[in-house]
Amino acid sequence: MLQHRSPAVTTPNEDRYLAVTAKRNRRNKASDLSHQLSSATGTTVSRQTVYRRLGHIGLYARRPVRCVPHTATHCRLRLIWNREHALWTPQQGFCVMFSDEFRFSLQSDSRRNLIWRAPASHFLQENSIERHRYGGAGWLVWGGIILVSRIDLEIQSVTMTDHIFRDVILEQHVRLFRGAMGAKFLFIDNNARPYQANIVD
């Protein structure tokens, strides 16, 4: 018994149009792509059809990766530092402490904004959103690591100020490692190059 297959809703050219439009603006919603296709070709399709057509070429609606932005200067200075210390011995590496901090916002984030991306492409630049502004209440978490040890996380409910950094981070954590390792100790906070600063009361 022969079965009659229903004709395709879109043509190959219209499928390519959907793909190109989705890649040009990955934050377009399926309804937006449907409207754009209708305006360009006169073909009207549902949101589900848009999802299916893009899924056939490996594009799916997924949440973008959130990341902290890095300027070209940040990247250049970090590359320079790594090249300068590429020949360090393990003994020299034992004397370096790396630390970083991150602020967690307590405000709700529905994260309903989706993008069109292929599987295993999470961390491509076009698939990420730079986020560095945090409004409202939050918690600041600071931590440090060294090859042979680590520092317990320091949690603050306020913004990290110069005085908190001095009285809490440097005095209560970093100074202990500095005293144990001596003059060879090197502290690198937030992956920045060594610097000096004065705190004035």
Side-chain angles (χ1 to χ4, degrees), residues 45-56:
V45 295
S46 65
R47 293 169 56 252
Q48 288 74 19
T49 298
V50 173
Y51 284 120
R52 285 196 298 269
R53 291 294 180 264
L54 293 180
H56 289 162

Side-chain angles (χ1 to χ4, degrees), residues 25-28 62-70 102 109-117 121-134:
N25 188 351
R26 295 176 181 270
R27 292 172 177 79
N28 266 335
R62 297 291 186 267
R63 292 174 179 172
V65 172
R66 306 296 180 97
C67 66
V68 177
H70 291 275
F102 190 83
D109 182 4
S110 64
R111 298 185 64 184
R112 293 179 179 177
N113 294 326
L114 305 178
I115 62 170
W116 298 101
R117 67 167 175 81
S121 64
H122 308 61
F123 299 107
L124 294 180
Q125 184 175 3
E126 62 268 21
N127 294 336
S128 62
I129 292 180
E130 293 186 347
R131 182 176 183 179
H132 60 281
R133 297 181 181 273
Y134 300 90

Side-chain angles (χ1 to χ4, degrees), residues 23-54:
K23 290 179 179 179
R24 284 179 177 173
N25 188 351
R26 295 176 181 270
R27 292 172 177 79
N28 266 335
K29 298 179 180 179
S31 56
D32 297 330
L33 295 174
S34 176
H35 293 319
Q36 293 178 36
L37 178 66
S38 178
S39 299
T41 66
T43 300
T44 301
V45 295
S46 65
R47 293 169 56 252
Q48 288 74 19
T49 298
V50 173
Y51 284 120
R52 285 196 298 269
R53 291 294 180 264
L54 293 180

Side-chain angles (χ1 to χ4, degrees), residues 16-197:
R16 282 191 290 272
Y17 176 86
L18 285 174
V20 170
T21 306
K23 290 179 179 179
R24 284 179 177 173
N25 188 351
R26 295 176 181 270
R27 292 172 177 79
N28 266 335
K29 298 179 180 179
S31 56
D32 297 330
L33 295 174
S34 176
H35 293 319
Q36 293 178 36
L37 178 66
S38 178
S39 299
T41 66
T43 300
T44 301
V45 295
S46 65
R47 293 169 56 252
Q48 288 74 19
T49 298
V50 173
Y51 284 120
R52 285 196 298 269
R53 291 294 180 264
L54 293 180
H56 289 162
I57 64 169
L59 289 179
Y60 303 93
R62 297 291 186 267
R63 292 174 179 172
V65 172
R66 306 296 180 97
C67 66
V68 177
H70 291 275
T71 66
T73 300
H74 290 148
C75 298
R76 178 176 57 83
L77 292 178
R78 293 177 184 188
L79 180 60
I80 291 174
W81 193 93
N82 288 327
R83 287 175 174 172
E84 290 175 349
H85 301 83
L87 300 180
W88 266 17
T89 65
Q91 289 72 24
Q92 290 173 305
F94 287 146
C95 297
V96 182
M97 174 185 290
F98 295 92
S99 73
D100 204 352
E101 61 191 51
F102 190 83
R103 187 170 187 272
F104 293 89
S105 176
L106 298 182
Q107 287 187 332
S108 63
D109 182 4
S110 64
R111 298 185 64 184
R112 293 179 179 177
N113 294 326
L114 305 178
I115 62 170
W116 298 101
R117 67 167 175 81
S121 64
H122 308 61
F123 299 107
L124 294 180
Q125 184 175 3
E126 62 268 21
N127 294 336
S128 62
I129 292 180
E130 293 186 347
R131 182 176 183 179
H132 60 281
R133 297 181 181 273
Y134 300 90
W139 289 93
L140 184 72
V141 179
W142 179 92
I145 59 172
I146 202 165
L147 286 180
V148 295
S149 185
R150 64 177 176 82
I151 297 177
D152 292 336
L153 293 178
E154 180 67 38
I155 302 176
Q156 296 283 336
S157 61
V158 295
T159 302
M160 180 71 76
T161 64
D162 294 341
H163 292 83
I164 292 178
F165 189 80
R166 177 195 62 187
D167 298 337
V168 177
I169 303 303
L170 296 181
E171 286 293 328
Q172 298 181 20
H173 298 290
V174 178
R175 185 173 60 86
L176 300 177
F177 284 86
R178 169 65 174 80
M181 297 181 180
K184 294 182 179 180
F185 175 76
L186 180 61
F187 174 55
I188 300 180
D189 182 55
N190 199 22
N191 207 14
R193 294 174 64 84
Y195 64 92
Q196 293 180 343

Side-chain angles (χ1 to χ4, degrees), residues 6-11 53:
S6 57
V9 178
T10 56
T11 66
R53 291 294 180 264

